[in-house]
Amino acid sequence: MLRFDSFIPADVQEGAPVWVLLHGRGSNKEDLQGLAPYLPAGSIVLTPEAPFAGEQWGYGPGWAWYQFQGRNRPEPESFAQSQQALGEFLAAVPSLLSVKPGPIILGGFSQGGVMSMAYALRNPGAIGHVVNFSGFLPDHPSVQPSPESVKGTRFFWGHGTADQMITHALAAEGRGILAGVGADLTAKDYRMGHQISGEEIGDLLAWLQGR
């Protein structure tokens, strides 16, 4: 079971939306808890920690979801192991809460965004809303975008035009593939690097409220 941090409102209600937010490479479970105050009132926020020590791959003292092999390629075995661990965590969400949860919004930053999109594509219809902050569409045998794999899922993909870690060109490529198979995709660009901005969070909330 993945370790995690949580934000649960004191007056949490049955059916509260659950945001499962995945951190980026070299970070930890505390990182995206900082987004909790900006999400809709009443939201539950769960932030699991990646299973691999980032230091072994030169990513610093934090944690990683997979070993990065360049461009948009995760190392296949570590990626598959993290996908399995994420699936087990999502299945356990109801048992982690004192109330019956509502819909899950799955998302993350950088590696976390990659993981989120991949999980939705590997498990068609399992997740209704996916948020990708500055990630890429992974080149992995188990991730095969198709009309069937995107059906029933809405995607939000925000990206910086000056991102030097995961280039905007790579984002445009992945967005094009998703759009080409008919994904319900909202793509937003920002004049920033590899980060999350306040403007991006505003667009995310507008997207979420749009349906």
Side-chain angles (χ1 to χ4, degrees), residues 78 80 95 97 101 156 172 195-196:
S78 56
S95 68
L97 304 173
F156 178 93
Q195 62 194 86
I196 300 173

Side-chain angles (χ1 to χ4, degrees), residues 70-104:
R71 202 172 186 277
N72 63 341
R73 297 187 304 277
E75 187 278 317
E77 185 175 346
S78 56
F79 183 80
Q81 289 178 21
S82 282
Q83 283 287 311
Q84 180 176 345
L86 175 58
E88 292 169 356
F89 180 84
L90 291 170
V93 164
S95 68
L96 303 176
L97 304 173
S98 60
V99 297
K100 182 178 179 181
I104 289 178

Side-chain angles (χ1 to χ4, degrees), residues 1 9 17 31 49 58 61 72 78 83 97 101 110 119 121 123 128 135 137 139 144 147 156 161 173 175 177-178 204:
M1 179 67 171
D31 189 13
E49 192 164 75
N72 63 341
S78 56
Q83 283 287 311
L97 304 173
S110 195
Y119 184 84
L121 293 168
N123 300 275
L137 184 64
D139 179 6
Q144 300 293 330
F156 178 93
T161 56
E173 178 183 306
R175 290 166 169 177
I177 292 172
L178 290 178
L204 167 66

Side-chain angles (χ1 to χ4, degrees), residues 26-171:
S27 191
N28 57 53
K29 58 188 173 65
E30 299 173 5
D31 189 13
L32 296 183
Q33 279 291 321
L35 295 180
Y38 304 100
L39 299 178
S43 294
I44 297 168
V45 181
L46 304 179
T47 52
E49 192 164 75
F52 296 104
E55 194 169 18
Q56 65 180 317
W57 298 321
Y59 302 157
W63 302 86
W65 295 100
Y66 54 81
Q67 184 180 18
F68 178 56
Q69 294 190 322
R71 202 172 186 277
N72 63 341
R73 297 187 304 277
E75 187 278 317
E77 185 175 346
S78 56
F79 183 80
Q81 289 178 21
S82 282
Q83 283 287 311
Q84 180 176 345
L86 175 58
E88 292 169 356
F89 180 84
L90 291 170
V93 164
S95 68
L96 303 176
L97 304 173
S98 60
V99 297
K100 182 178 179 181
I104 289 178
I105 300 100
L106 176 63
F109 173 69
S110 195
Q111 277 202 354
V114 174
M115 285 286 297
S116 299
M117 286 198 302
Y119 184 84
L121 293 168
R122 286 163 50 103
N123 300 275
I127 300 293
H129 297 79
V130 173
V131 180
N132 174 26
F133 296 122
S134 304
F136 56 68
L137 184 64
D139 179 6
H140 187 272
S142 68
V143 181
Q144 300 293 330
S146 67
E148 292 74 25
S149 68
V150 301
K151 187 177 181 180
T153 300
R154 299 178 68 212
F155 296 85
F156 178 93
W157 188 331
H159 216 99
T161 56
D163 193 330
Q164 295 182 331
M165 298 288 291
I166 298 176
T167 66
H168 186 263
L170 198 55

